[in-house]
Amino acid sequence: MSPIEQVLAAAKTIAMNGHTPTMALVKGKLGGKVPMPLLIQGLQQFKAIPKDQWQTLPDLGDALESNKPAANTDTQLIEQKLLTQMQQMKTEFESKISLLEKRITQLENEA
């Protein structure tokens, strides 16, 4: 769901609870995730929608939930990439340690 749709959903929730949607209330509902210009644009759009058409807007819970899988997927991809890099580094270190141990053994045998 787009940031504008999130703003519209937050404004709808606020209005349905009997309050007038304001920048502060909408921003509070969204947790500061939406840039200010988009908050302003979304709030202006909401105020232009007749009250009898509010039900066509998505609910805030739906708006926020639709964005979570992408965030989880991004996090999982980053975690997988980091794990792969760590495994490669571990393999490199083990190889270098093995070479150093062999060299130490050689030097001890020469003495």
Side-chain angles (χ1 to χ4, degrees):
M1 180 168 284
S2 75
I4 294 291
E5 290 171 326
Q6 291 178 14
V7 172
L8 292 171
K12 174 188 172 186
T13 301
I14 293 165
M16 297 301 275
N17 289 329
H19 302 285
T20 302
T22 63
M23 292 295 296
L25 290 174
V26 171
K27 190 172 185 177
K29 280 279 185 198
L30 297 175
K33 300 175 191 173
V34 179
M36 190 62 69
L38 293 177
L39 281 172
I40 294 168
Q41 182 183 355
L43 196 53
Q44 287 173 341
Q45 285 181 15
F46 179 79
K47 289 179 179 181
I49 298 172
K51 187 174 183 175
D52 60 342
Q53 294 179 5
W54 287 356
Q55 65 271 16
T56 62
L57 296 173
D59 290 324
L60 184 59
D62 298 338
L64 297 177
E65 286 298 320
S66 69
N67 288 335
K68 285 187 179 180
N72 289 339
T73 301
D74 290 345
T75 302
Q76 290 171 347
L77 290 173
I78 291 169
E79 286 176 356
Q80 185 60 42
K81 184 176 179 180
L82 287 172
L83 286 172
T84 301
Q85 289 175 343
M86 288 174 55
Q87 185 61 38
Q88 289 172 345
M89 290 171 59
K90 179 183 174 194
T91 303
E92 273 183 51
F93 288 140
E94 287 173 345
S95 174
K96 289 179 181 182
I97 289 171
S98 177
L99 289 172
L100 287 171
E101 287 173 339
K102 287 179 186 177
R103 181 65 181 144
I104 290 170
T105 302
Q106 283 178 342
L107 291 172
E108 287 175 342
N109 289 338
E110 289 177 5

